[in-house]
Amino acid sequence: MSVQVSDETHAHYELSHLQTLEAESIFIMREVAAQFERPVLLFSGGKDSIVLMRLAEKAFRPGRFPFPVMHVDTGHNFPEVIEFRDRLVEQLGERLIVASVQDSIDAGRVREETGPRASRNRLQTTTLLDAIAQHGFDAAFGGARRDEERARAKERVFSFRDDFGQWDPKQQRPELWSLYNGRIRRGEHVRIFPISNWTELDVWQYIAQEQLEVPSIYYAHTRQVFARDGMLYAVNQHIELIDGEAPFEASVRYRTVGDMTCTGAVRSSATTLTEVVTEIAATRVTERGETRADDRVSEAAMEDRKREGYF
C-alpha cells in the first residue's frame, strides 16, 4: 500500500538555504576531526571566523573543540577586534594560541617594511607557517570563501599545502559527492575552508539568524580617517601620512578586519544587523576588492601570496 505525502509535508522537511550551508559546514568540520590528528582553527576576530566558531560549537558541543584556536597577530590589528577575540575565546572556554609577527621580526625571520605604505600583512605568512610547524598542525581551518576573490575561487574545501607550506592550484584533489581525501605525507598540511560555498550575504544573514556578536567596527561609527588610493584608512600610529593627506571625520564601518595598514573602511550609516544585511544585499563589489589594499597590488596579488603559504 502506498502512502500519499502532501506537498505541505514535503515542504516541512525542506532545509532552508542557511540550514543547508550550515549542515555542509558542520559535516566538513567533523570530517576533519575524524581524519586529522592535530587540526587548528585560525581565528582573526572577523565575521567569517566568528561563524566558524559557532559552527564548531554546533559540531562538537557539549564537548570542547577537538582543536585549539590560533590568531596570527600582526601587532597592528584594530584594538576593538583584539578585545573581542579575547573575550569570545574566554566565554567559550577554548584554548587560544597567538602567533606574533613581532616575534618573527625579533627573531630575524622576517624584516619589517618601512615608509608610508609599509605593512605587516605579507609578513603573516612566515609567522603562520612557523606556528604550524612548531605545533605540528596537520590541518588548519580558515574562513575564506570562494566569492571573495578569484584566487580563493580556485580553492578546494581541503586545500593541500606541500612541505614548504606552498599552494599549487594544479595539484589539488577532486572533491566529488562531498568526499574529502585527507591523506597527507609527513611535513604537508591541509587548509580547510568549511564556508567556501557561502557568500558575504550568507555570512551576515547567518550572524543575524544566530544573533552573534561581532566587533563594533563592523557597524557604522564616527572615526578619524584619511583618503588614499580611493580607500579610507583609520588614522593610527602605524601609518605615516603622505604630503597632502589630511585626516577628517566620517561615518564608516568595516566589511572585513585585518591589519590596520591595509584595511579600508566604507562610508555607511548601518548601525544594526538588519541595516548591514540590507547594505550588503545591495552592493556589487566584493569586500576585499573594495577594502583591502593588499589585493590591489596586481591582478594576481592574492594568488601569489597563497602560493607562498598565505591564508
Side-chain angles (χ1 to χ4, degrees):
M1 180 179 68
S2 62
V3 178
Q4 298 296 319
V5 182
S6 68
D7 290 340
E8 289 79 9
T9 303
H10 278 302
H12 179 72
Y13 288 105
E14 288 179 358
L15 295 177
S16 71
H17 174 64
L18 288 181
Q19 286 174 323
T20 300
L21 289 174
E22 178 189 73
E24 177 188 51
S25 300
I26 289 172
F27 170 76
I28 291 166
M29 294 186 112
R30 289 173 173 166
E31 277 291 296
V32 171
Q35 292 193 44
F36 294 91
E37 294 182 5
R38 301 200 69 180
V40 64
L41 190 152
L42 301 178
F43 182 72
S44 67
K47 63 185 185 305
D48 301 308
S49 53
I50 291 168
V51 167
L52 286 185
M53 294 284 264
R54 173 49 62 92
L55 293 169
E57 286 187 85
K58 293 196 173 188
F60 304 111
R61 289 295 191 242
R64 295 188 65 184
F65 299 171
F67 40 74
V69 174
M70 184 167 74
H71 180 211
V72 179
D73 185 358
T74 67
H76 293 173
N77 296 98
F78 291 90
E80 301 96 322
V81 176
I82 298 300
E83 183 276 329
F84 174 84
R85 176 201 72 185
D86 294 341
R87 182 159 47 83
L88 178 61
V89 173
E90 183 179 3
Q91 288 173 356
L92 294 177
E94 299 298 337
R95 175 189 171 205
L96 174 65
I97 298 170
V98 177
S100 168
V101 171
Q102 184 62 56
D103 289 347
S104 298
I105 294 170
D106 294 343
R109 292 285 294 141
V110 293
R111 178 177 297 177
E112 180 131 42
E113 298 177 5
T114 59
R117 297 184 183 277
S119 174
R120 290 185 173 184
N121 194 60
R122 196 180 187 99
L123 307 185
Q124 292 179 90
T125 299
T126 297
T127 305
L128 172 63
L129 294 178
D130 285 352
I132 287 173
Q134 176 187 346
H135 296 279
F137 295 132
D138 52 5
F141 290 106
R145 308 183 321 271
R146 292 191 178 114
D147 75 318
E148 288 182 86
E149 199 274 339
R150 66 185 64 185
R152 285 183 164 170
K154 298 179 182 180
E155 291 275 20
R156 298 288 195 263
V157 174
F158 278 31
S159 182
F160 285 82
R161 308 299 167 106
D162 64 21
D163 48 3
F164 295 102
Q166 297 176 331
W167 173 72
D168 183 349
K170 297 178 181 178
Q171 298 300 318
Q172 301 304 302
R173 300 173 184 179
E175 294 176 340
L176 305 176
W177 306 292
S178 297
L179 296 175
Y180 301 108
N181 182 353
R183 185 174 299 174
I184 57 173
R185 295 189 295 266
R186 183 182 298 276
E188 296 176 333
H189 72 276
V190 181
R191 305 284 172 84
I192 310 293
F193 301 113
I195 61 171
S196 285
N197 293 327
W198 299 47
T199 65
E200 184 184 10
L201 182 59
D202 293 330
V203 167
W204 278 110
Q205 289 178 329
Y206 189 77
I207 288 170
Q209 173 187 288
E210 299 291 310
Q211 288 297 294
L212 301 179
E213 183 185 359
V214 297
S216 59
I217 65 172
Y218 276 117
Y219 299 111
H221 57 287
T222 300
R223 184 182 284 267
Q224 282 275 316
V225 297
F226 66 94
R228 176 183 292 178
D229 301 330
M231 294 171 55
L232 298 178
Y233 292 93
V235 175
N236 65 86
Q237 70 272 29
H238 306 302
I239 303 181
E240 297 178 28
L241 295 183
I242 300 171
D243 288 344
E245 293 178 340
F248 59 93
E249 279 195 352
S251 176
V252 300
R253 72 175 195 87
Y254 288 84
R255 292 178 65 185
T256 181
V257 300
D259 192 295
M260 297 178 76
T261 61
C262 63
T263 304
V266 295
R267 294 181 184 272
S268 174
S269 59
T271 58
T272 67
L273 273 174
T274 300
E275 291 173 344
V276 170
V277 169
T278 300
E279 188 175 276
I280 294 301
T283 188
R284 292 294 177 266
V285 182
T286 67
E287 70 241 57
R288 295 195 70 92
E290 185 175 26
T291 64
R292 291 300 290 266
D294 48 327
D295 290 342
R296 296 184 172 195
V297 176
S298 72
E299 286 290 323
M302 171 65 81
E303 184 160 335
D304 290 343
R305 295 200 307 279
K306 290 180 74 65
R307 288 178 182 273
E308 297 169 357
Y310 188 73
F311 306 146

